Amino acid sequence: MIKPCQNCHVAFAIDDVESAFYQRISVPSPVDCPKCRLVRRLTERNSKNLFYRNCDLSGKKIVSQYSATAPFPVYDQKIWWSDDWDAMTYGVDFDFGRPFFEQFEALRNRVPQMSVFVIGDTLENSDFTNCTGYLKNCYLLGEADYDEDSYFSNRIYYCKNTFDCSTIYESELCYECIDCSGCQRLKYSQDCKNCHDSYFLKDCIACQDCIGCVNQRQKQYMIFNKQYSKEEYLAMKADLNLESSSGLENLRKKCEAFFKSQPMRDLHEEQNQNSLGDHLYNSKNSSWCFDSRDLEDCKYCTRLIGPVKDCMDYTSWGSKAELVYQCTSSGDGAYNLKFCSTCTTNNSNMEYCFSCTGCDEVFGCVGLKRKKFCIFNKQYSEEEYRVLKAKIISQMTASGKYGQFFPKNLSPHAYNDTLAMDLFPLSKEEVLAAGYKWRDVEDAVKSDANLSCSDCNKSYKLIPQEIDFYAQNGIPHPQNCPLCRHKARQKKRNQIDLAQRNCDKCSKQIMSTVDPNQTEKIFCKDCYLAEVY
């Protein structure tokens, strides 16, 4: 089936597998294309922009993912999780004379929201983080778990003493690294595994004491893919003057030019069966999935940690999730969730819910904890619940709204504060034209600044922990602010989309996330492996 996207008007296909899934969970087929559906879900998640505001219950100054202009009350996350308030007191009857989303927005704007989306009791000296858990001595991390002494990073897991990194796992003493795992003392590198004591590596595995190398395996004392003795390597490394900003910038430019001359993999993926996606690992029967692992029978899923099974259009989180559709920032024991956002542990059989936890059989609810058979935060008997739910769905279906995610105006964040800006950056004019919100006011958390960013000209400061880290690891102080450093890392990652092209060696037809306008040589998996081994 081919349909025009009601949002961007580009035609998109719905195959037999998707149609069977929609029938299985009793929802109509989507009216937006996969990309527009993804962008909308991404605007539900602000993981890196924090604000000062007052808790609307205690009056205490707090750090929040929502600014003071948010349309709903915001409680300190410790209070939100406590028994000091009850979301059921905001319950209302459904009014069949008004549209569902209009009523849901009114309810959402009355119910208090948690200041930051964290597992609060697991954070030690890590208040300035969001979408996090199990941290110690961390600052300005987003979407991160099980880290220690780490700063200014996003999507890092089981890491220690790590600064300015994105999407890295089980690594230590790394700086400005992207999509790396099992690395130590690695700097300015991307798509590396088990590498250490090196600078500017790309797509390398088990390399040490290397500089400016790409597509290398188990190598040592190499510079620009050329082998040297230990003595030659150390002398050439000293000549590069890597502890100075000028030395690093000169090397960076040479590396960028050299990397473009070398072949690249079509996709970064391993141990997959009948699957298609980039940075997709240990998955089966999963397609158009990105930045995820341990998926089975999934499609259009992004930024998930498994096990995740039988899910579609699902973004952020995962962890023992099954039968989830058109949901974001919801996971950990999730089962049969549809059109939900920011819902935490052990939810099941929910639709159109926001910020709920431990609930079963609830519809159109906000902020509930451990409730069952509720609609619009009001309690019903099981029979009453099922009759009313069916009647509401019938009304939504008649108006063409059932089966769609929350409309754009219900996004709790400005577009430029969310993950959408990372993956699909737009100008203010483009954002507003698309119907999303934009934040102009500079009300994000600030500290006493003494430096000016070379990219955006805004002021920033170095905190004591990073000054010590730079000194101990021979790293010159950065010339731009943390947000601009974050943006630069995101630009280095491939697009969250697949494009058809031909292998530049064997001409076989392949799919790749590399921008078709880029000039690098892209090899299929077989040709790439033959090249590097």
Side-chain angles (χ1 to χ4, degrees), residues 147-197:
D147 303 307
E148 184 174 346
D149 298 312
S150 296
Y151 303 80
F152 309 117
S153 301
N154 69 300
R155 300 199 76 237
I156 67 171
Y157 305 93
Y158 298 96
C159 293
K160 189 174 181 180
N161 294 112
T162 293
F163 283 69
D164 286 297
C165 290
S166 294
T167 315
I168 67 169
Y169 303 82
E170 299 174 325
S171 296
E172 186 173 356
L173 290 167
C174 290
Y175 180 68
E176 285 289 358
C177 290
I178 307 165
D179 292 301
C180 295
S181 64
C183 296
Q184 294 82 38
R185 297 176 297 282
L186 184 66
K187 304 177 181 71
Y188 313 102
S189 298
Q190 186 171 3
D191 290 308
C192 293
K193 185 177 180 180
N194 299 332
C195 294
H196 60 89
D197 296 288

Side-chain angles (χ1 to χ4, degrees), residues 349-395:
N349 304 306
M350 300 198 321
E351 297 185 56
Y352 291 108
C353 290
F354 185 86
S355 196
C356 292
T357 185
C359 293
D360 181 30
E361 300 283 4
V362 297
F363 188 96
C365 290
V366 180
L368 296 188
K369 305 183 187 79
R370 299 176 296 279
K371 300 298 180 182
K372 191 171 184 177
F373 302 131
C374 295
I375 295 177
F376 274 37
N377 289 31
K378 186 173 180 180
Q379 185 69 61
Y380 294 92
S381 69
E382 180 176 358
E383 182 179 358
E384 291 171 331
Y385 169 82
R386 299 197 185 284
V387 170
L388 179 57
K389 175 185 170 182
K391 189 176 179 181
I392 295 173
I393 290 176
S394 178
Q395 183 196 59

